[in-house]
Amino acid sequence: MRVNIIGGGLAGCSLSYILKKEGVEPVIYEASSELASGASGNDIGLYNPRFAAQMDSPSEFYSSAFFESLEVFKGLKDCVDWNPCGVLSLLTDERRVKRFYKTAKSWDWSEDDMRLVSPEEASKIAGVEIPYKALYTPKSGNISPKKLCHEYARGIKVHLNTKIDDLTVLEGDATILACGMGCLNFEEAKNLPLKSVRGQVSYIKQTEQTKNLKVALSYSGHFSPALRGVHCLGSTFQPWLDHSDLIEEDNLTNLEKLFEVLPYFRGDYSVAYSKAGVRTTSKDHFPIVGKLKAYDDLYISTAHGSYGIITTLLSAKIIANSIVESHGVVSQQVLKALNPYRFK
Ligand SMILES: Cc1cc2nc3c(=O)[nH]c(=O)nc-3n(C[C@H](O)[C@H](O)[C@H](O)COP(=O)(O)OP(=O)(O)OC[C@H]3O[C@@H](n4cnc5c(N)ncnc54)[C@H](O)[C@@H]3O)c2cc1C
């Protein structure tokens, strides 16, 4: 079988990786001159589920996506800068306290995978002072989305500088739209409620204050332990913008968010570089994954929002299983929640 994949970001590259494992021949078509040139181009990203208060279908999806991804990351390790350093989700206000207490209770993860910790324990784990309780997920951490794309697509046929406008020119047994907001350019997907959200991450040089940080911190932003002397500090969230030009002020916004929760970090920082991109999300902020109606051989994987590092991989498995008619990896309820036709 030959399957066409439109888009060479995390969604498309993870599909190529999983399909190849299933004995299918994937071919990636990417509009720009390299893989990971869109939202997936960051050097460091945080992988962690989206923690909701209840264990509903979306939470079931994020939970499975997390553990499925861990298995794959373990196999790729250093070539994708995998650092399972753990994440402390800081309970910085009453709303987050309530939500994360409910998460810890309803998600039913083992103590080894998730637990609430006191400020004292959080500080010990972090290697720096943390004046908040936190939800600790020791197996979460950082990875390079950009390197992941390249590893996933290793040995796969890729056509760069190839923007696909017309699906009928493609030969093959199936086609998958994995091109973020670009999906809207296709007649078959033009009515989907996709929205773009610009974001910018700042890579800041390690300082005396930050060098002891051992885990990633998640609050209204996120801050990662230094990799090769540079921390990843993320990210702005701008639904009103859809360009990926750099904005100087965004680096200050990222720093301010950090100083607001951990004022003792306040000081002089030098931004090594920054990177902006456009996330694709949907009306209900949940990925859109599955078969497009009336087209037996057309699938879609998009709207991975801010959690694409883990959601793209499980989505790839779901689509691959449908193409090769293998047993399902998620429940019917999860498939329903991801279904492209769920919107009224
Ligand atoms: C600033 C920022 C920080 C983020 N941080 C994190 C994080 O810490 N953790 C996390 O999990 N997620 C994070 N995300 C989200 C994550 O990066 C995305 O969910 C993920 O990259 C989406 O992958 P994608 O393949 O769907 O989209 P993209 O990476 O945008 O890929 C789509 C590709 O399709 C190509 N394309 C479009 N139209 C066509 C066409 N017609 N023909 C051929 N090719 C086409 C584009 O050129 C592009 O390369 C972040 C995103 C941003 C912007």
Side-chain angles (χ1 to χ4, degrees):
M1 271 182 107
R2 182 193 142 136
V3 173
N4 305 303
I5 300 170
I6 320 291
L10 279 171
C13 295
S14 58
L15 272 157
S16 73
Y17 178 80
I18 299 291
L19 284 166
K20 192 177 171 197
K21 279 187 182 299
E22 291 288 348
V24 171
E25 186 202 341
V27 183
I28 296 178
Y29 296 89
E30 166 53 48
S32 64
S33 57
E34 54 179 343
L35 294 174
S37 58
S40 309
N42 288 329
D43 288 328
I44 305 174
L46 186 81
Y47 68 90
N48 210 17
R50 182 178 186 183
F51 291 120
Q54 304 305 331
M55 180 40 85
D56 50 12
S57 298
S59 296
E60 194 186 320
F61 173 74
Y62 287 112
S63 180
S64 303
F66 177 76
F67 289 110
E68 292 276 347
S69 301
L70 272 189
E71 286 311 306
V72 172
F73 299 166
K74 270 180 206 159
L76 301 174
K77 281 192 182 149
D78 293 348
C79 43
V80 290
D81 289 336
W82 182 46
N83 181 14
C85 53
V87 174
L88 287 167
S89 299
L90 307 182
L91 310 191
T92 50
D93 56 43
E94 246 339 276
R95 198 179 53 85
R96 280 174 72 90
V97 170
K98 273 191 189 150
R99 186 170 119 218
F100 285 104
Y101 265 74
K102 284 185 182 163
T103 304
K105 214 169 158 190
S106 64
W107 273 48
D108 204 26
W109 280 17
S110 81
E111 279 266 308
D112 290 346
D113 296 328
M114 175 197 287
R115 65 179 197 274
L116 289 161
V117 292
S118 64
E120 295 72 34
E121 197 182 348
S123 305
K124 227 176 180 175
I125 293 165
V128 298
E129 195 204 330
I130 303 291
Y132 307 99
K133 290 179 186 169
L135 184 76
Y136 179 43
T137 43
K139 292 178 185 162
S140 305
N142 293 121
I143 198 158
S144 165
K146 188 181 190 168
K147 289 187 178 175
L148 255 185
C149 287
H150 287 277
E151 275 311 308
Y152 282 153
R154 189 178 283 277
I156 305 288
K157 194 168 187 184
V158 180
H159 295 276
L160 297 172
N161 301 307
T162 309
K163 183 169 187 271
I164 303 296
D165 298 310
D166 176 6
L167 298 178
T168 60
V169 301
L170 299 174
E171 285 173 11
D173 299 289
T175 297
I176 309 163
L177 303 180
C179 45
M181 290 299 290
C183 293
L184 290 181
N185 295 328
F186 295 95
E187 181 64 29
E188 296 84 348
K190 70 173 188 200
N191 293 323
L192 291 175
L194 297 181
K195 296 181 200 176
S196 56
V197 181
R198 183 192 176 280
Q200 183 167 316
V201 287
S202 314
Y203 296 92
I204 62 165
K205 289 188 189 157
Q206 167 185 297
T207 68
E208 274 308 305
Q209 277 132 304
T210 63
K211 70 174 188 199
N212 294 327
L213 181 67
K214 290 189 290 201
V215 290
L217 305 176
S218 171
Y219 41 97
S220 56
H222 60 88
F223 189 48
S224 304
L227 174 73
R228 298 184 277 272
V230 172
H231 297 274
C232 175
L233 179 64
S235 0
T236 57
F237 193 86
Q238 294 139 315
W240 59 91
L241 296 177
D242 63 357
H243 67 78
S244 49
D245 302 336
L246 296 179
I247 302 176
E248 190 63 39
E249 232 174 63
D250 278 17
N251 296 327
L252 299 177
T253 306
N254 285 333
L255 281 166
E256 261 322 308
K257 268 198 256 175
L258 173 67
F259 300 156
E260 221 169 83
V261 290
L262 297 171
Y264 65 89
F265 271 149
R266 200 173 278 281
D268 284 339
Y269 286 93
S270 112
V271 177
Y273 62 104
S274 30
K275 171 95 178 59
V278 177
R279 308 170 182 93
T280 302
T281 186
S282 71
K283 200 163 105 182
D284 59 8
H285 311 289
F286 196 58
I288 296 178
V289 179
K291 206 177 232 187
L292 289 173
K293 257 189 211 162
Y295 303 93
D296 259 3
D297 53 356
L298 186 62
Y299 297 80
I300 190 163
S301 173
T302 189
H304 292 285
S306 301
Y307 295 84
I309 293 177
I310 60 167
T311 60
T312 50
L313 192 87
L314 183 57
S315 303
K317 285 200 167 184
I318 291 169
I319 292 178
N321 282 349
S322 177
I323 290 175
V324 302
E325 294 174 5
S326 173
H327 62 278
V329 278
V330 293
S331 67
Q332 284 302 318
Q333 285 89 331
V334 171
L335 292 180
K336 221 169 139 185
L338 292 164
N339 191 303
Y341 300 97
R342 66 185 183 268
F343 305 97
K344 295 281 177 268

